[in-house]
Amino acid sequence: MKKKLLMAGALLAASYSLTSQAETNGPEYLSDWWHQSVNVVGSNHTRFGPHLNNDVYLEYEAFAHKDWFDFYGYIDIPNFFGAANSYQQGIWDKGSPLFMEIEPRFSIDKLTGTDLSFGPFKEWYFANNYVYDMGHNSDNRQNTWYMGLGTDIDTHTKMSLALNIYAKYQWENYGAANENSWDGYRFKVKYFLPLTTLWGGNLSYIGFTNFDWGSDLADKTPGSFRSSNSIASSHILALGYDHWHYSVVARYFHNGGQWADGANLNFGDGPFEVKSTGWGYYLVVGYNF
């Protein structure tokens, strides 16, 4: 479950449905601005750690955009259904009981009462991306805060586009050598494109890409099995209905989790080759409430 990022696809597609029905006496939800769902997620060959991981887990997911506040976040309960491989421990087998990521952004334009838009840049934000893996002790915990500047781009099409650039402060990181330090940067691209209606629902394409660079992890780590850069790029087809949503996700990893692809390791249970570059896949079924 290490650093499993950006499973927003199905819920964002559902938001397209919610917005389109808001003026036509559509379905009722607990909130008209805090959009939320509970999801069952199956993952295969995720590459955030040195081993390929599979898991089936429970997830709470939410997003909102209201006045000066923009938010996306989720809470995962790893290995909730007990279907993970031997490398993915979770809540029932002394692994991590909780993995969380939130992305709050605060509009600089609205908070200052100033129109900072120019050219294609519609609005500017103080942007954050906070990742927390509770772990069962400090050596199995991640605590990372990305902070920086974000903006929304006017594409003059149906596609919405957001860009964020961050500096990273790293607290716990599973015992890695870059703990408790400023360590690198992230550039995040997020885009959403409604495609068509299909089988009575709304079909959408969603994409998220994180480019991480400038870390000192490789230089601080003896050997050649860590990397100072990584990429995680998700490509999602999502089908949203009033309450139910379904999505398929293909995610490309390059040096996933800053593990150097092709490195040879042995953690005491036999030698293996790190396969941190390649594709991982997800299936999502969720209920909006």
Side-chain angles (χ1 to χ4, degrees):
M1 189 58 200
K2 308 294 194 253
K3 293 178 68 179
K4 190 167 293 179
L5 300 179
L6 304 173
M7 286 299 298
L11 193 56
L12 284 176
S15 74
Y16 176 60
S17 176
L18 299 182
T19 302
S20 65
Q21 297 177 29
E23 299 179 355
T24 59
N25 297 318
E28 293 186 359
Y29 303 92
L30 292 182
S31 172
D32 61 356
W33 69 276
W34 183 262
H35 307 297
Q36 56 192 332
S37 75
V38 60
N39 307 321
V40 175
V41 183
S43 64
N44 179 258
H45 282 186
T46 58
R47 301 169 188 261
F48 286 116
H51 295 286
L52 296 178
N53 279 328
N54 308 316
D55 196 2
V56 181
Y57 57 93
L58 191 66
E59 177 178 79
Y60 169 80
E61 191 171 26
F63 75 94
H65 188 91
K66 186 176 179 64
D67 195 22
W68 49 265
F69 182 57
D70 183 80
F71 179 85
Y72 168 72
Y74 62 86
I75 297 173
D76 292 342
I77 304 178
N79 201 13
F80 184 83
F81 296 98
N85 61 18
S86 60
Y87 302 113
Q88 180 59 68
Q89 294 177 308
I91 187 171
W92 311 122
D93 50 6
K94 298 181 180 180
S96 175
L98 180 148
F99 182 94
M100 177 183 76
E101 180 177 11
I102 60 173
E103 297 179 33
R105 299 196 306 171
F106 307 96
S107 172
I108 300 171
D109 297 52
K110 291 185 173 66
L111 287 173
T112 62
T114 305
D115 182 3
L116 301 175
S117 63
F118 66 94
F121 303 101
K122 297 191 297 182
E123 192 167 356
W124 294 88
Y125 300 87
F126 172 50
N128 300 268
N129 188 173
Y130 177 69
V131 181
Y132 179 71
D133 185 350
M134 183 178 289
H136 67 276
N137 58 41
S138 60
D139 289 337
N140 292 274
R141 187 169 299 139
Q142 180 190 3
N143 191 351
T144 309
W145 182 20
Y146 300 87
M147 65 199 81
L149 190 65
T151 187
D152 294 333
I153 303 295
D154 186 356
T155 65
H156 299 289
T157 69
K158 292 182 178 180
M159 183 178 75
S160 61
L161 176 64
L163 308 177
N164 302 297
I165 189 165
Y166 314 97
K168 179 180 72 173
Y169 191 83
Q170 184 67 66
W171 286 286
E172 295 106 328
N173 190 24
Y174 312 112
N178 62 341
E179 292 187 330
N180 299 308
S181 67
W182 290 97
D183 187 63
Y185 308 91
R186 166 171 288 183
F187 179 60
K188 181 189 292 285
V189 183
K190 304 177 70 172
Y191 36 94
F192 168 72
L193 179 64
L195 297 176
T196 186
T197 56
L198 178 67
W199 301 324
N202 293 304
L203 183 67
S204 304
Y205 168 67
I206 303 98
F208 310 88
T209 302
N210 291 330
F211 301 92
D212 295 322
W213 81 97
S215 170
D216 293 327
L217 182 57
D219 295 335
K220 291 180 177 180
T221 306
S224 56
F225 59 90
R226 300 308 300 258
S227 170
S228 293
N229 59 80
S230 66
I231 297 173
S233 182
S234 296
H235 304 274
I236 302 162
L237 278 178
L239 183 62
Y241 293 90
D242 290 349
H243 286 287
W244 291 98
H245 59 261
Y246 311 88
S247 60
V248 293
V249 184
R251 173 174 285 169
Y252 179 75
F253 299 85
H254 174 74
N255 293 333
Q258 292 185 238
W259 293 91
D261 186 62
N264 293 304
L265 292 175
N266 189 337
F267 292 149
D269 54 354
F272 66 95
E273 180 181 346
V274 175
K275 296 181 179 179
S276 58
T277 294
W279 290 91
Y281 305 94
Y282 303 82
L283 292 175
V284 182
V285 178
Y287 184 80
N288 313 311
F289 60 93

